[in-house]
Amino acid sequence: MPATPTAEELYKYIGMAFEHAKSDPDLFEKLSNTPGVFKVLTTEPDGCMIIDIPNLSAVPGAADEEADAILRMTGEYANRFWQGDLNLTMAVMKGNIGMEGKMAIVAKAVAAQTKLFPAYIELLKTDGRTDLLVK
């Protein structure tokens, strides 16, 4: 089982994956045309990230900020999701991840975000954080 990232590491690597998308024309086009602002609330560690898909931004936020959808999960599940190692639908059905808000937007955004998984994994490898890799 991989280590669990800190909230700061989640902010860093997810944020850097979105920054990477800004320099990739295909990713930029795909994501900037996808609607949705998401609030991701994590436990173990406690954290809050605001992910603005069309503006390619993922930054620390506050629990009371507005968003189209809210996702609640542990840091382990967030790390697994960003590596493509988590079936979001199954995790929600099992109660491992909580979701509320505009589900049509969530579906479009999740499909678009999967394009960032390789960048997230590469960023972990580049930083020598292979302990966070799930595969």
Side-chain angles (χ1 to χ4, degrees), residues 5 23 32 36 45 60 63 75 77 79 85 89 97 101 106 119-120 130 134-135:
S23 63
S32 64
Y77 278 95
N79 184 47
D85 186 60
T89 303
I97 293 179
V106 171
Y120 180 87
T130 55
V134 293
K135 294 179 183 177

Side-chain angles (χ1 to χ4, degrees), residues 8 13 16 24 29 84 88 100 107 135:
E8 290 74 22
Y13 295 117
M16 288 172 66
D24 181 314
E29 182 178 346
L88 188 63
E100 58 189 73
K135 294 179 183 177

Side-chain angles (χ1 to χ4, degrees), residues 96-110:
N96 296 322
I97 293 179
M99 284 193 336
E100 58 189 73
K102 301 174 182 173
M103 292 305 119
I105 290 178
V106 171
K108 286 181 184 177
V110 167

Side-chain angles (χ1 to χ4, degrees), residues 10-23:
L10 287 171
Y11 303 147
K12 175 183 175 180
Y13 295 117
I14 296 169
M16 288 172 66
F18 275 94
E19 285 299 314
H20 166 76
K22 291 177 181 177
S23 63

Side-chain angles (χ1 to χ4, degrees), residues 22-92:
K22 291 177 181 177
S23 63
D24 181 314
D26 293 332
L27 283 175
F28 180 83
E29 182 178 346
K30 175 83 171 167
L31 293 169
S32 64
N33 289 315
T34 301
V37 174
F38 299 84
K39 183 174 9 182
V40 179
L41 301 171
T42 60
T43 58
E44 303 172 35
D46 290 341
C48 177
M49 177 175 282
I50 303 300
I51 298 177
D52 184 333
I53 305 291
N55 290 308
L56 295 118
S57 168
V59 297
D64 61 353
E65 288 186 54
E66 291 293 318
D68 294 310
I70 300 169
L71 289 89
R72 291 174 175 35
M73 64 188 80
T74 64
E76 174 194 353
Y77 278 95
N79 184 47
R80 287 179 54 201
F81 171 77
W82 283 95
Q83 293 183 56
D85 186 60
L86 182 74
N87 180 318
L88 188 63
T89 303
M90 290 302 294
V92 170

